[in-house]
Amino acid sequence: MLFNISYTTLNFICFVFVTMLVYFLFPAKKYKWTVLLAASMFFYAVAGYKYAFFILFTTLSTYLIALWISHVSAHSKKLLKEKKKEWDKDQKKKYKNKVKIQKRLIMTLALVINFGILAFLKYYGFFAGSLNDMLGSFGVSFSIPTLKLFLPLGISFYTFQSMGYIVDVYREKTDAQRNPFKLLLFVSFFPQIIQGPISIYDQLAAQLFEPHEFDFTRMKHGMELILWGFFKKLVIADRAYILIGAVEKDYTKFGGTTLTFTILLYALQLYADFSGGIDISRGVAQIFGVDMIDNFKRPYFSRSINEYWRRWHISLGAWLKNYLFYPIAMSNVFINAGKKMKGTRFGKTAAGSHIAKVLPTSVASLIVFLVVGVWHGADWKYVAFGVWNGVIIMVSIIMQPLFDGAVDKLRISRKNPFFIGFQVVRTLLVVLVGYVFDVAPSFGEGMRTLQLFFTGQNFSAGIEEISKLGLVASDYIILLIGAIIILIASIIQERHLDTDIRTMLDRKPVALRFLLLYLGI
């Protein structure tokens, strides 16, 4: 990194301000998007110029392969039109299948190349180390060499985003972009390159290329959202990580009470850090007239683990649903497996019929969450994190009729606030178990932590340990106040889903608005 240009630095604020001035003063309205492209390339270069090759290669390969797919589609449609009277129905069907296979092979080439690069850079060390450990356990002296690989900035985000574009071109949901520099802007747009969200081409591209005029309200709302993101990251997340980082450095020496507190604090820190970063990204984009999706929608209010993953990292969930879950669940293999089960004696029972019906969905969910686990990091503990969430979701899908029947028999109203509270707490506990594998240094330590939750609680010893982990009483007061502020804001957002808090603030007295902004700053 040439100099620090991360989201919460003065350098970044100055960079955004200069880019804003140049963008809105740029005389050629038709080419305003080039300002955003230049800013994105500058941002990426100062973050580490040696990474630039990878994002340029991904963009170039995506550009060329999308054009290739588009050319095949256009040529096939032209030929079908020309042969409309000559070919019978079977000939047309045979040709269409041939073209579909050809396009699928071309798309697969793009996926293999770009996901291959991501997998090699991010996971080679993990797989090499795991294989060496396995070979060593069998007494094999041969070992795969380890390599010192660096991970390019934002490679997971821009790879997923560009491959989603390739799939959409293959599905003919979007036209291939003819201008390689416009595609480069879509792949590298600087507000989203570090933490996302992962955007869909049709949702983002047109906004990037449109010549937006200066809008004071958009700028004000964007800056308010940036300020809210700074509050989450600087006041809460960075402060909480002082304790979490101290525990992670010497994890094995702490007891159950300290680790329980650390996991609870991690839940706050992780949400504040991730959602705060997305708020900054969305706020910066909004200044330039670009609306990106809200990646987090009060996930800790979820009443089921399914709902939690619909509210947490929404863009990743949407990408996996559109480009992985549906293709798996709707594949012939999974559909036929469900049909075969229905034809068995067990499948003709009420329980068997339900399981056969939801089998494709539940198994596809497990596979998706394995990918989610691996996405989070190259370690067996992240695989465990994915398996835990996948199994819980799979079981909940299969057991749903039983759960619903129990609620009906007990005559519990689904609108009962105590029942809703029970569901929220139950879901949060399931989520916290998954977080254990985020914080623990290994899968084994994660399992030990779960055991200590029940067997290693010592409140007085825990208080003494926690008091030595870098935070003082004022820090805990600030964290508590910060958590309460986020909770209040979340409750307001949950109750007024159709109204943005910034729009609500616009209706308040000027004095109150300035007081809140002053306190935020």
Side-chain angles (χ1 to χ4, degrees):
M1 184 177 287
L2 299 179
F3 62 91
N4 193 350
I5 198 170
S6 63
Y7 285 168
T8 54
T9 61
L10 183 59
N11 289 336
F12 182 73
I13 296 296
C14 294
F15 168 71
V16 171
F17 181 73
V18 170
T19 304
M20 181 181 70
L21 286 179
V22 175
Y23 181 81
F24 289 116
L25 295 175
F26 198 71
K29 291 184 178 181
K30 186 178 178 181
Y31 298 101
K32 275 190 171 186
W33 62 270
T34 61
V35 176
L36 297 179
L37 176 60
S40 298
M41 288 295 95
F42 175 80
F43 182 87
Y44 209 86
V46 298
Y49 62 90
K50 63 183 179 180
Y51 304 145
F53 165 80
F54 292 95
I55 195 169
L56 292 174
F57 177 82
T58 294
T59 303
L60 181 60
S61 62
T62 301
Y63 171 74
L64 294 174
I65 291 175
L67 286 180
W68 189 3
I69 293 172
S70 182
H71 172 74
V72 171
S73 295
H75 177 73
S76 65
K77 289 175 182 177
K78 182 181 178 182
L79 188 60
L80 283 168
K81 190 176 182 180
E82 291 173 355
K83 302 289 185 180
K84 186 177 181 179
K85 295 181 180 179
E86 297 179 32
W87 287 355
D88 59 26
K89 189 176 180 180
D90 289 337
Q91 286 176 306
K92 289 177 184 177
K93 184 177 180 181
K94 186 177 180 181
Y95 178 71
K96 285 180 181 179
N97 287 336
K98 180 182 176 182
V99 171
K100 186 177 181 180
I101 292 171
Q102 184 182 1
K103 287 171 60 180
R104 188 175 293 172
L105 288 173
I106 298 170
M107 177 189 68
T108 303
L109 175 65
L111 299 178
V112 169
I113 290 173
N114 288 284
F115 280 127
I117 292 171
L118 172 63
F120 179 75
L121 294 176
K122 192 170 183 178
Y123 304 109
Y124 173 82
F126 166 62
F127 285 116
S130 298
L131 189 56
N132 287 339
D133 290 342
M134 185 177 70
L135 292 173
S137 66
F138 289 104
V140 179
S141 58
F142 174 79
S143 63
I144 298 174
T146 55
L147 302 174
K148 291 184 178 179
L149 301 172
F150 59 86
L151 201 61
L153 176 69
I155 186 171
S156 295
F157 293 107
Y158 71 68
T159 300
F160 272 58
Q161 187 158 299
S162 57
M163 292 305 96
Y165 161 74
I166 281 285
V167 175
D168 284 346
V169 172
Y170 163 78
R171 292 174 176 174
E172 298 185 16
K173 287 180 62 178
T174 188
D175 295 327
Q177 174 56 249
R178 303 287 170 176
N179 188 325
F181 297 103
K182 284 187 174 182
L183 183 63
L184 179 58
L185 174 57
F186 167 72
V187 174
S188 66
F189 186 43
F190 76 89
Q192 66 176 33
I193 198 68
I194 294 179
Q195 283 189 285
I198 303 168
S199 297
I200 305 299
Y201 185 82
D202 284 349
Q203 296 172 353
L204 180 63
Q207 296 186 76
L208 293 176
F209 310 143
E210 184 181 337
H212 300 281
E213 297 295 333
F214 178 78
D215 185 307
F216 177 76
T217 301
R218 290 188 67 91
M219 185 194 72
K220 180 182 67 173
H221 284 177
M223 288 184 170
E224 287 170 349
L225 193 54
I226 293 169
L227 184 62
W228 180 236
F230 279 178
F231 167 73
K232 288 180 180 178
K233 285 182 73 71
L234 294 173
V235 177
I236 299 175
D238 289 357
R239 179 174 273 100
Y241 190 72
I242 293 171
L243 183 145
I244 296 165
V247 171
E248 288 179 332
K249 286 179 182 177
D250 206 358
Y251 194 87
T252 56
K253 82 173 189 179
F254 296 105
T257 303
T258 302
L259 294 179
T260 301
F261 180 76
T262 302
I263 299 302
L264 290 170
L265 189 61
Y266 178 73
L268 174 64
Q269 187 270 337
L270 186 69
Y271 174 71
D273 186 51
F274 275 14
S275 67
I278 291 296
D279 289 339
I280 296 169
S281 299
R282 292 177 61 233
V284 171
Q286 189 169 19
I287 290 173
F288 296 104
V290 178
D291 291 318
M292 296 194 297
I293 69 168
D294 189 355
N295 222 16
F296 295 87
K297 291 187 176 180
R298 287 82 61 196
Y300 295 148
F301 287 170
S302 301
R303 297 165 63 177
S304 68
I305 195 68
N306 258 321
E307 183 185 352
Y308 167 81
W309 282 107
R310 289 196 298 270
R311 290 170 174 253
W312 180 276
H313 211 325
I314 296 167
S315 64
L316 175 61
W319 194 99
L320 291 170
K321 181 175 71 174
N322 290 329
Y323 304 116
L324 184 62
F325 174 80
Y326 283 142
I328 292 174
M330 301 304 293
S331 66
N332 291 333
V333 173
F334 278 73
I335 291 174
N336 291 336
K339 287 180 179 178
K340 285 182 180 179
M341 180 177 285
K342 276 188 177 181
T344 63
R345 182 179 298 177
F346 173 70
K348 292 177 181 178
T349 63
S353 177
H354 170 71
I355 292 173
K357 182 180 177 181
V358 301
L359 182 65
T361 302
S362 57
V363 176
S365 295
L366 179 59
I367 294 171
V368 165
F369 277 95
L370 277 172
V371 174
V372 169
V374 174
W375 157 279
H376 280 79
D379 197 297
W380 285 111
K381 67 175 186 174
Y382 295 117
V383 175
F385 170 82
V387 170
W388 167 253
N389 283 279
V391 168
I392 291 292
I393 287 177
M394 185 169 69
V395 170
S396 68
I397 292 171
I398 293 172
M399 303 294 287
Q400 191 63 47
L402 186 62
F403 297 150
D404 290 341
V407 171
D408 292 337
K409 285 183 179 180
L410 293 171
R411 297 181 179 178
I412 299 173
S413 171
R414 287 172 173 78
K415 294 182 180 180
N416 185 302
F418 292 104
F419 181 62
I420 292 172
F422 162 76
Q423 289 178 305
V424 170
V425 172
R426 175 198 62 187
T427 302
L428 183 58
L429 290 174
V430 172
V431 169
L432 291 173
V433 171
Y435 284 171
V436 167
F437 295 100
D438 265 359
V439 178
S442 66
F443 172 74
E445 282 300 319
M447 296 303 294
R448 186 182 74 90
T449 302
L450 293 177
Q451 181 183 357
L452 287 175
F453 284 167
F454 300 99
T455 63
Q457 296 296 338
N458 186 326
F459 188 75
S460 59
I463 292 294
E464 185 178 351
E465 287 178 349
I466 291 168
S467 66
K468 299 175 183 178
L469 292 175
L471 297 182
V472 296
S474 60
D475 289 315
Y476 291 111
I477 293 172
I478 291 171
L479 286 172
L480 179 60
I481 293 172
I484 292 171
I485 291 172
I486 290 179
L487 177 62
I488 292 170
S490 298
I491 291 172
I492 294 171
Q493 289 172 311
E494 198 74 6
R495 288 182 175 178
H496 303 276
L497 295 175
D498 298 328
T499 306
D500 186 84
I501 284 184
R502 292 167 293 169
T503 303
M504 294 172 65
L505 281 175
D506 289 344
R507 302 168 187 161
K508 301 299 180 183
V510 174
L512 176 61
R513 295 190 338 240
F514 273 95
L515 175 63
L516 290 174
L517 289 173
Y518 175 77
L519 289 172
I521 293 169

